[in-house]
């Protein structure tokens, strides 16, 4: 896995109407992953700016998911809280790949 969302986000933009018709959550999940990666790399201010630009527009429909990811601004990848460890788990990337394939083939 490349662990990079940019190509998938470009595809989302090109297929925006299709994804809307499918009621896809791919774009928000990709955006959340990019936010998490910025925060975990220590780019907290950049992560906040990213959230304002890319996550805020999804707040009406995905507020709980967004709020759940904001915790990475307070912790780093060494945090020991089981509830939040999933945010840093590498399996998130595989779930994004699976979601992309599902939407691509739908």
């Amino acid at each position: 896995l490349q662990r990079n969302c940019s190509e998938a986000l470009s595809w989302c933009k090109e297929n925006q109407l299709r994804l809307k018709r499918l009621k896809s959550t791919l774009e928000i999940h990709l955006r959340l992953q990019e936010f998490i990666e910025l925060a975990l790399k220590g780019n907290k201010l950049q992560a906040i700016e990213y959230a304002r630009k890319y996550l805020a527009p999804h707040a009406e429909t995905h507020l709980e998911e967004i709020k759940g990811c904001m915790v990475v601004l307070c912790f780093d990848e060494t945090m020991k809280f089981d509830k939040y460890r999933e945010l840093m788990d590498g399996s998130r990337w595989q779930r994004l790949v699976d979601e992309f394939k599902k939407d691509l083939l739908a």
Side-chain angles (χ1 to χ4, degrees):
L1 293 173
Q2 291 182 2
R3 296 184 181 232
N4 185 318
C5 298
S6 58
E7 288 182 37
L9 284 166
S10 293
W11 183 86
C12 287
K13 186 173 181 151
E14 292 169 14
N15 293 277
Q16 187 174 13
L17 293 175
R18 178 179 178 212
L19 294 173
K20 188 173 186 174
R21 191 174 57 245
L22 293 171
K23 295 183 167 82
S24 172
T25 56
L26 178 60
E27 182 183 0
I28 185 63
H29 290 154
L30 291 166
R31 296 288 184 194
L32 286 168
Q33 190 63 39
E34 286 206 321
F35 167 79
I36 290 167
E37 295 300 319
L38 285 169
L40 291 179
K41 289 177 182 169
N43 300 323
K44 309 285 187 185
L45 186 55
Q46 190 177 355
I48 291 168
E49 291 169 0
Y50 186 91
R52 285 182 179 145
K53 183 173 182 176
Y54 295 110
L55 300 182
H58 296 276
E60 189 172 311
T61 54
H62 294 89
L63 184 59
E64 291 307 311
E65 258 184 297
I66 293 168
K67 285 173 25 180
C69 289
M70 290 295 144
V71 73
V72 297
L73 293 171
C74 302
F75 299 104
D76 62 23
E77 55 198 23
T78 63
M79 70 179 163
K80 305 289 186 221
F81 303 103
D82 288 338
K83 180 177 179 181
Y84 303 113
R85 188 170 294 137
E86 183 271 337
L87 294 173
M88 286 155 281
D89 187 45
S91 67
R92 288 182 60 87
W93 287 101
Q94 187 58 52
R95 287 195 301 275
L96 286 170
V97 168
D98 294 344
E99 187 173 359
F100 177 81
K101 287 179 182 177
K102 177 184 73 80
D103 287 352
L104 177 67
L105 300 174

